[in-house]
Amino acid sequence: RQMCIRDRCDMSYELFVRAFTIFEENAANPKEQARMMATMVSSLIATRNLPEDSYETLATKVCQYTATFLQKHDQAMMASLCANLFWKKNLSDTFHTRVMECLKRSVKLAGNSTAVNQPPAFVEVLNQFLHLFAANATGVDGKAVSTVVELMREANMNIGEDIKDTPEIEASKLYYRNTTRYIRSRATQDERWQEIEL
């Protein structure tokens, strides 16, 4: 039985390595890159029984690929998504501390995005913070989430007249309104959510 599990782990690892090769050879379009990496993240999260060192190698490789995206807002969204790679229950505490590393990087990248891309990036990052806050991820507390809420609010206030009515900005405002509505509804049911300042 142990041999069977090891063979499956080796096969899984090899499939991810091949997927990285396919990504390198075929992902020229930024939207396609983001879609492929999001699929890679969710597939890696779904794996079971990979040895921790193999999982770490693959997770680190995914994070490295996302850092090569051309647009800062794409990097920000993918860095926040990568935080999920390090919040699996069967991983050691060392991995769990990397959750906040990814989230902090995503906040920094979102802040360095162009004005039109900041609100969409911040609202995506905020929702990843909330997902990990709900999961009680290490370091993701009400104060950390409140910081991203404040940055989102600032990004919305700094939108210039020339871009305030663009579809991206309108969509991010709607997403943000729905997100704050969700936070308020959770706060009525769970004391922890009251720590988040809107």
Side-chain angles (χ1 to χ4, degrees):
R1 176 166 164 87
Q2 193 68 19
M3 184 65 147
C4 182
I5 290 175
R6 190 173 48 207
D7 288 345
R8 284 188 206 153
C9 291
D10 290 344
M11 186 184 301
S12 294
Y13 187 87
E14 185 58 36
L15 287 172
F16 276 102
V17 170
R18 287 184 188 169
F20 291 142
T21 303
I22 291 168
F23 174 79
E24 290 172 357
E25 294 171 352
N26 296 299
N29 177 325
K31 295 230 183 275
E32 191 68 19
Q33 282 182 335
R35 190 185 63 74
M36 290 172 82
M37 270 302 118
T39 301
M40 192 81 75
V41 168
S42 64
S43 298
L44 190 53
I45 289 169
T47 59
R48 303 284 182 261
N49 300 321
L50 262 181
E52 200 166 278
D53 59 332
S54 296
Y55 182 85
E56 179 180 21
T57 301
L58 294 172
T60 302
K61 191 72 172 167
V62 169
C63 293
Q64 289 170 346
Y65 276 119
T66 63
T68 64
F69 287 10
L70 293 176
Q71 302 293 322
K72 294 288 184 203
H73 66 279
D74 289 334
Q75 288 180 18
M77 289 187 259
M78 292 311 299
S80 67
L81 189 60
C82 283
N84 292 284
L85 290 170
F86 302 103
W87 190 249
K88 286 178 70 168
K89 287 184 170 70
N90 61 336
L91 295 175
S92 67
D93 288 342
T94 307
F95 277 87
H96 294 167
T97 60
R98 293 183 65 189
V99 169
M100 274 309 288
E101 290 174 25
C102 290
L103 291 176
K104 285 178 183 176
R105 178 170 160 61
S106 69
V107 168
K108 183 177 179 183
L109 289 163
N112 290 332
S113 298
T114 60
V116 73
N117 291 319
Q118 272 190 7
F122 273 125
V123 76
E124 289 286 345
V125 169
L126 173 59
N127 276 275
Q128 285 301 320
F129 264 83
L130 290 172
H131 170 72
L132 292 160
F133 177 75
N136 292 313
T138 304
V140 185
D141 57 14
K143 183 179 178 184
V145 176
S146 297
T147 300
V148 182
V149 168
E150 181 58 31
L151 290 169
M152 177 67 198
R153 197 176 302 123
E154 287 174 19
N156 276 336
M157 288 187 337
N158 293 331
I159 295 171
E161 288 296 317
D162 56 327
I163 59 172
K164 74 174 189 165
D165 295 325
T166 61
E168 297 90 351
I169 297 298
E170 289 300 316
S172 70
K173 285 180 180 178
L174 178 62
Y175 193 8
Y176 179 66
R177 274 193 304 273
N178 289 337
T179 300
T180 56
R181 201 174 294 141
Y182 173 74
I183 293 169
R184 285 186 185 98
S185 74
R186 288 293 302 260
T188 63
Q189 303 162 9
D190 185 344
E191 245 178 60
R192 271 184 72 235
W193 287 74
Q194 295 172 12
E195 297 171 16
I196 301 171
E197 295 176 22
L198 298 176

